[in-house]
Amino acid sequence: MQSDSRLLGLVYGAVFGSLFPLFHFAARTFARRERGHEIADQIANAFLALRPKYLEAILGNTAQVLGLRPSHPEVERTARDMVRQHARAWVDFFWYGQRPAEEALAQFASLEGIEHLDGALAGGRGVILLTAHAGNYELGGLLLKARDLKVHAVYKPDRFEAVERLRERMRAQGGVVGLPVDGVGFSTLPLVKLLREGRLVGMQGDRDFSRNGVSMPFFGRKVPFPRGPWELAAMTGAPIVTSFFYMDEDRRFHAHFGAPLQVHGERGERMAAIEAGMRSYVADLEALIRRHPSQWYCFYPFWDDPARPGAGQI
């Protein structure tokens, strides 16, 4: 959610331009990761106090996820915890991105379904690794780098340049090659080439920035999800492997890789195959969020996005 005020935009640019380099510096110098989390919590609380507009959007999303009123105490507790978890994820990204990969790997308490990814890569058609804005997906690059795998990650650049510069630098250290898109005129040709070379392409599947998505039931209401990854799979024959990363109460990480999903069929059958794959992905994402509702990061009205035509329809 962006402010319409040019002045506020300049102020936020200055704040974030200072804040994230500070996170970066602190993560390098703190003796304890937990100390970084404590500072992240304080910043998250201050952010919510200063920007009630964002809290309102988060409360609405959380209420939909939990099936409760936005005014319910559990909704507010979970919403505030989500902002803290998001800030902690940034600290961890900076923390482990500046340390030997073994330190991050030692924090993974479980690695579920990695054989699905290995098997899909063995097929030689490349793999589309489909994740979401949940948990600490940025750490996935470190995990895969340890297995001698390089990820080419498609992403929408952050509107704050200082944030994006730091993220790109840390991604590179983690063996991730960034492929920025603006949601308007991105060509699929580089991705097709990578997949035909047997490479690994990482994409997000829970934000319909292009505004041409397919509506899927999600926590009781329909909302569009992007079809781009699925059309790319249909075009290249590359399997889609879903991947989710999350943190438990002991601040340890867990990784889950789903069974490969294929999009087959001629033109007339392709859309049915795409929708079937999307339903599977959305169901898995919903199950993850039900277990960890404070680790799905969305700061705008997801179901009632005012920028989307027809938003708010059941």
Side-chain angles (χ1 to χ4, degrees), residues 91-224:
V91 168
D92 284 342
F93 180 45
F94 291 145
W95 175 275
Y96 289 112
Q98 300 177 88
R99 286 168 170 77
E102 292 75 16
E103 290 192 28
L105 298 178
Q107 286 299 314
F108 275 90
S110 67
L111 187 57
E112 181 184 5
I114 191 66
E115 69 277 4
H116 296 316
L117 177 59
D118 291 340
L121 284 168
R125 291 178 175 266
V127 172
I128 300 169
L129 197 61
L130 193 62
T131 186
H133 294 80
N136 203 331
Y137 52 89
E138 297 281 11
L139 289 180
L142 291 174
L143 177 66
L144 296 171
K145 183 181 179 182
R147 300 174 65 84
D148 295 322
L149 295 172
K150 179 183 289 187
V151 184
H152 294 76
V154 179
Y155 70 97
K156 184 177 175 63
D158 197 284
R159 65 185 176 118
F160 300 114
E161 292 183 5
V163 175
E164 200 52 61
R165 284 196 301 270
L166 273 176
R167 178 156 55 186
E168 189 64 18
R169 188 196 316 168
M170 301 307 294
R171 278 176 172 161
Q173 289 179 217
V176 175
V177 178
L179 300 173
V181 301
D182 60 9
V184 179
F186 180 70
S187 172
T188 60
L189 291 179
L191 303 183
V192 171
K193 182 176 183 294
L194 288 168
L195 291 169
R196 287 178 176 168
E197 292 172 353
R199 307 295 184 87
L200 189 58
V201 171
M203 303 182 79
Q204 299 278 3
D206 61 335
R207 297 287 193 276
D208 180 32
F209 293 122
S210 64
R211 308 295 181 195
N212 67 348
V214 178
S215 289
M216 291 280 150
F218 189 56
F219 287 100
R221 292 179 62 188
K222 283 192 172 183
V223 66

Side-chain angles (χ1 to χ4, degrees), residues 9-295:
L10 292 173
V11 171
Y12 289 136
V15 169
F16 283 97
S18 303
L19 178 61
F20 282 85
L22 177 61
F23 270 153
H24 183 260
F25 172 77
R28 186 172 67 248
T29 56
F30 285 155
R32 295 173 53 247
R33 172 188 171 214
E34 290 77 10
R35 179 55 181 153
H37 285 182
E38 291 167 5
I39 292 176
D41 290 352
Q42 294 170 14
I43 292 172
N45 292 337
F47 170 79
L48 289 175
L50 292 171
R51 292 297 282 153
K53 180 180 179 182
Y54 283 86
L55 178 57
E56 181 182 353
I58 297 166
L59 287 170
N61 293 338
T62 306
Q64 187 69 38
V65 166
L66 298 181
L68 299 170
R69 301 183 313 277
S71 59
H72 194 284
E74 181 64 14
V75 170
E76 179 156 356
R77 185 197 68 78
T78 303
R80 291 182 177 276
D81 189 40
M82 183 275 273
V83 181
R84 288 190 290 268
Q85 292 283 358
H86 186 255
R88 289 183 178 190
W90 274 106
V91 168
D92 284 342
F93 180 45
F94 291 145
W95 175 275
Y96 289 112
Q98 300 177 88
R99 286 168 170 77
E102 292 75 16
E103 290 192 28
L105 298 178
Q107 286 299 314
F108 275 90
S110 67
L111 187 57
E112 181 184 5
I114 191 66
E115 69 277 4
H116 296 316
L117 177 59
D118 291 340
L121 284 168
R125 291 178 175 266
V127 172
I128 300 169
L129 197 61
L130 193 62
T131 186
H133 294 80
N136 203 331
Y137 52 89
E138 297 281 11
L139 289 180
L142 291 174
L143 177 66
L144 296 171
K145 183 181 179 182
R147 300 174 65 84
D148 295 322
L149 295 172
K150 179 183 289 187
V151 184
H152 294 76
V154 179
Y155 70 97
K156 184 177 175 63
D158 197 284
R159 65 185 176 118
F160 300 114
E161 292 183 5
V163 175
E164 200 52 61
R165 284 196 301 270
L166 273 176
R167 178 156 55 186
E168 189 64 18
R169 188 196 316 168
M170 301 307 294
R171 278 176 172 161
Q173 289 179 217
V176 175
V177 178
L179 300 173
V181 301
D182 60 9
V184 179
F186 180 70
S187 172
T188 60
L189 291 179
L191 303 183
V192 171
K193 182 176 183 294
L194 288 168
L195 291 169
R196 287 178 176 168
E197 292 172 353
R199 307 295 184 87
L200 189 58
V201 171
M203 303 182 79
Q204 299 278 3
D206 61 335
R207 297 287 193 276
D208 180 32
F209 293 122
S210 64
R211 308 295 181 195
N212 67 348
V214 178
S215 289
M216 291 280 150
F218 189 56
F219 287 100
R221 292 179 62 188
K222 283 192 172 183
V223 66
F225 283 82
R227 59 174 141 187
W230 305 94
E231 291 179 339
L232 183 63
M235 187 186 311
T236 62
I240 286 181
V241 173
T242 59
S243 63
F244 300 117
F245 301 85
Y246 60 94
M247 187 170 68
D248 63 24
E249 293 181 355
D250 296 323
R251 309 189 202 211
R252 301 200 67 191
F253 304 121
H254 300 260
H256 170 80
F257 296 89
L261 298 169
Q262 298 279 173
V263 179
H264 294 301
E266 300 299 327
R267 286 188 178 276
E269 303 170 342
R270 186 174 294 178
M271 196 61 211
I274 286 174
E275 291 183 0
M278 291 179 72
R279 280 194 297 272
S280 177
Y281 165 80
V282 171
D284 285 349
L285 177 60
E286 184 171 316
L288 174 77
I289 297 170
R290 286 190 187 281
R291 295 195 302 271
H292 307 282
S294 64
Q295 291 189 52

